[in-house]
Amino acid sequence: MNTREHTEMKMRGSADVSYLGRTVDEMVWKFMEEQEIPGLTLAIVQAPYIPRVVGYGFSDAGQKRLASVNTLWPAGPISQGYAAVAVMQLYEDGSVDLDAPAAAYVDSLPEQWKCITVRQLLHHASGLADYRKQEGFSLTREWTFEELIGLTADLPLQFEPGTKVAQSATNFLLLTEVVERVSKMAYQEFVKKNQFELLGLKHTSFSEGLSAFHQEDLSLSEYVHQIFKTDGRYIDPAETAVSYQSDGSAFPQMHSSALRGFGDVWASAQDISFWDIGLAGGVLIKKPEDRAVVYASWTLPDGRTVPGSAGWQFYHHRGLMDIKGSVPGFSSFLSRFTHPEELVCVTLMANKEGVDFTNLGRKIAGAFGDLLSTNYDDTRLFLMEGQFSADETVSRLEKQLNALDIPVFAKFDHAGNAAEAGLELRPTTVLVFGAPKVGTGLMQADQSIALELPLKIAVWEDEAGSTWLAFPKMKPVAEEYSLGDHPVIGNMQKLLERLVKKAANLYES
């Protein structure tokens, strides 16, 4: 299964931007087809260049607007990056002490919150409950800081601050209030001045500023643009993406106050890439040691390493990090390969909720240089690089299976078996599991598929020390038995993906 595509290593600057024989366009189109994504924009950074920005499909299927270079998408959890930059800018000018309690800057906080530090908020290590999960919360109404705090003020802390990590929008809401109180500027205005305007980002906004972008109502012209013929402002327009619900109605636009600092930014994929170059290059946060506060792993008091901060997640592959997630109707993804020999970033924005771009992003990166590829055949495998050691990853998988009441039939510790035979093998484990009620239905259709059952997930550590999780993609396997369209196959694939993602990622819940 291990694969090396080229006899000579493809490096930065190669005109060949394919991966395992498939072009970037092919990979994106196939992924959109599988995931039923209406529209998507991709941007590629090879710092300091942004050599490729491409739109695919419709940014607004109802209005027949094309996804383009200028399309503004909800950045979702990537917005945490902008909030973290704002805090670190205040830290660098001496206005904020990261180890001071947030209560030193924001008065009237609940008593049990007063020991929580700014650094713990950045690390999602506060123990604060997430206000998004509380009764009465709505994304579409305007909120004050006090109203949102009130949703969780009476709830106990989930853990002692600084001892664990759990992503919570409340952490970043409180950080934005620190920014407001210290800077004596509205959070949005501070970010606009010190990030959007500093970098000259013309296609980045908060939702309340989207009306400044000129958009034609195409329902008045049989869904064909007309105004650009007489008004130059409508040539190559910057339009906002729209996503539609199953009943055909558009997802209502979120009010930025509802996800302040956590999911409030709108931006084009190209602007996010530009912002990312400014971040990596030291334009936004000057000192490397200050960037490392929010863009490097850190250690809990008990010695455990936490591979994530400020929404970013970190991997063993040299300098690899990503930030990703969803808001209603939309998904976003930004990965960065920061090693000097690589310097590639992949941004993907789409108008469908719940899409995980991690695998696609890695394949796209691999198209721009062999150093970025997985070296495994992830056209056949669902493959994901994990953030934890192989042993911890297996433990996380076992806990999930136990919680779902899915029996584990076998656990093969190949490295342990090798050691007993006097041989050496890096950590390599296979978990075999399944539910007889599900698998039996497939075998009733074709008993020979018993060779592929029960389900299995492999976890191993490669020669570079990275942890990988993998399983064979279910549809191609089932198609060998003429069962590719069996309804159970799709459910199996979703289950396996969910297990892998939760085991591999710090912020998956």
Side-chain angles (χ1 to χ4, degrees):
M1 197 66 70
N2 192 283
T3 177
R4 303 281 180 179
E5 243 194 307
H6 305 100
T7 54
E8 293 185 11
M9 184 170 288
K10 181 172 69 174
M11 300 293 287
R12 177 183 170 99
S14 172
D16 174 9
V17 288
S18 64
Y19 181 69
L20 297 181
R22 300 175 73 183
T23 66
V24 169
D25 287 338
E26 286 179 289
M27 290 189 289
V28 171
W29 167 72
K30 185 66 174 175
F31 185 85
M32 291 178 69
E33 184 180 50
E34 291 173 351
Q35 299 288 326
E36 299 180 336
I37 298 172
L40 176 154
T41 302
L42 160 69
I44 298 292
V45 166
Q46 291 184 287
Y49 306 100
I50 306 177
R52 177 181 291 235
V53 186
V54 191
Y56 302 87
F58 291 111
S59 66
D60 181 343
Q63 285 269 323
K64 308 299 182 188
R65 303 184 194 278
L66 299 184
S68 77
V69 171
N70 298 331
T71 298
L72 281 85
W73 307 85
I78 295 175
S79 303
Q80 295 170 88
Y82 296 78
V85 166
V87 172
M88 295 308 297
Q89 287 174 331
L90 290 173
Y91 170 74
E92 287 198 325
D93 73 14
S95 301
V96 168
D97 179 354
L98 297 181
D99 293 309
Y105 307 105
V106 181
D107 54 13
S108 303
L109 291 180
E111 188 64 32
Q112 61 180 339
W113 295 18
K114 291 187 177 179
C115 63
I116 296 170
T117 67
V118 174
R119 191 186 301 271
Q120 288 165 350
L121 295 172
L122 283 168
H123 286 336
H124 283 295
S126 68
L128 292 172
D130 194 331
Y131 67 78
R132 296 175 298 166
K133 300 177 181 178
Q134 309 312 314
E135 185 178 355
F137 174 69
S138 168
L139 283 168
T140 56
R141 60 157 282 193
E142 184 174 1
W143 292 88
T144 66
F145 170 74
E146 290 74 18
E147 287 172 333
L148 287 175
I149 291 299
L151 294 177
T152 58
D154 296 330
L155 297 176
L157 296 179
Q158 296 174 305
F159 49 81
E160 181 183 347
T163 63
K164 294 182 181 180
V165 171
Q167 192 174 54
S168 168
T170 310
N171 292 321
F172 274 66
L173 171 66
L174 189 46
L175 285 175
T176 63
E177 191 67 15
V178 170
V179 171
E180 289 206 353
R181 302 290 181 95
V182 172
S183 70
K184 296 181 170 44
M185 296 175 64
Y187 169 72
Q188 290 186 0
E189 294 306 314
F190 185 86
V191 173
K192 286 179 187 177
K193 177 182 177 181
N194 294 288
Q195 296 183 58
F196 302 175
E197 293 173 9
L198 176 66
L199 294 174
L201 303 178
K202 299 185 183 303
H203 300 125
T204 304
S205 178
F206 295 100
S207 59
E208 288 70 36
L210 295 177
S211 59
F213 297 92
H214 304 288
Q215 298 188 100
E216 184 177 355
D217 183 354
L218 298 181
S219 67
L220 304 177
S221 56
E222 298 182 344
Y223 302 105
V224 177
H225 288 81
Q226 297 292 343
I227 300 178
F228 76 95
K229 299 174 183 177
T230 56
D231 188 337
R233 294 176 301 173
Y234 291 84
I235 297 174
D236 195 21
E239 300 169 327
T240 53
V242 175
S243 182
Y244 291 86
Q245 303 180 78
S246 57
D247 63 2
S249 63
F251 277 92
Q253 195 172 100
M254 297 172 293
H255 198 282
S256 63
S257 65
L259 290 177
R260 196 174 81 181
F262 189 86
D264 52 353
V265 172
W266 284 69
S268 68
Q270 180 167 255
D271 265 18
I272 288 175
S273 297
F274 200 105
W275 172 84
D276 188 53
I277 295 172
L279 171 61
V283 176
L284 297 175
I285 302 175
K286 305 298 183 184
K287 299 178 181 178
E289 62 268 29
D290 294 340
R291 293 195 294 276
V293 171
V294 286
Y295 307 120
S297 298
W298 54 283
T299 305
L300 288 167
D302 63 7
R304 284 178 295 155
T305 297
V306 180
S309 180
W312 293 93
Q313 299 185 104
F314 314 118
Y315 301 81
H316 188 84
H317 180 98
R318 52 188 190 174
L320 174 59
M321 53 196 287
D322 66 27
I323 187 167
K324 57 197 173 187
S326 295
V327 291
F330 299 90
S331 298
S332 56
F333 173 85
L334 169 61
S335 68
R336 310 170 68 206
F337 294 80
T338 61
H339 191 275
E341 291 184 16
E342 297 170 354
L343 296 179
V344 168
C345 305
V346 179
T347 302
L348 289 156
M349 315 289 285
N351 49 3
K352 184 177 180 181
E353 183 179 352
V355 178
D356 188 332
F357 286 114
T358 308
N359 277 1
L360 177 63
R362 189 62 178 264
K363 289 189 238 184
I364 291 172
F368 287 84
D370 287 343
L371 290 172
L372 311 175
S373 69
T374 67
N375 294 325
Y376 300 99
D377 187 0
D378 43 14
T379 59
R380 292 186 57 223
L381 296 175
F382 183 92
L383 184 73
M384 183 168 287
E385 183 175 352
Q387 298 174 284
F388 305 95
S389 69
D391 286 346
E392 185 173 354
T393 300
V394 170
S395 177
R396 289 167 66 89
L397 274 173
E398 289 176 313
K399 288 178 181 177
Q400 284 188 75
L401 291 166
N402 183 61
L404 294 171
D405 200 26
I406 297 175
V408 175
F409 300 129
K411 177 180 178 180
F412 297 105
D413 178 2
H414 292 298
N417 294 337
E420 290 180 4
L423 302 171
E424 290 187 8
L425 179 68
R426 290 185 298 272
T428 307
T429 301
V430 177
L431 288 181
V432 182
F433 56 91
K437 287 184 179 179
V438 177
T440 300
L442 285 176
M443 290 183 283
Q444 287 172 335
D446 185 339
Q447 285 175 276
S448 65
I449 202 172
L451 289 166
E452 314 294 343
L453 298 173
L455 301 175
K456 56 186 73 69
I457 294 175
V459 178
W460 69 88
E461 178 188 300
D462 70 11
E463 63 273 17
S466 295
T467 297
W468 294 95
L469 302 88
F471 62 85
K473 293 180 179 178
M474 293 304 302
K475 188 173 178 64
V477 169
E479 284 174 345
E480 294 179 7
Y481 299 86
S482 300
L483 293 173
D485 295 326
H486 195 289
V488 167
I489 295 301
N491 292 334
M492 283 182 167
Q493 180 74 25
K494 289 178 182 177
L495 169 65
L496 290 165
E497 287 186 19
R498 182 160 54 115
L499 290 168
V500 164
K501 291 171 185 175
K502 286 189 176 184
N505 289 278
L506 172 67
Y507 294 131
E508 285 286 336
S509 57

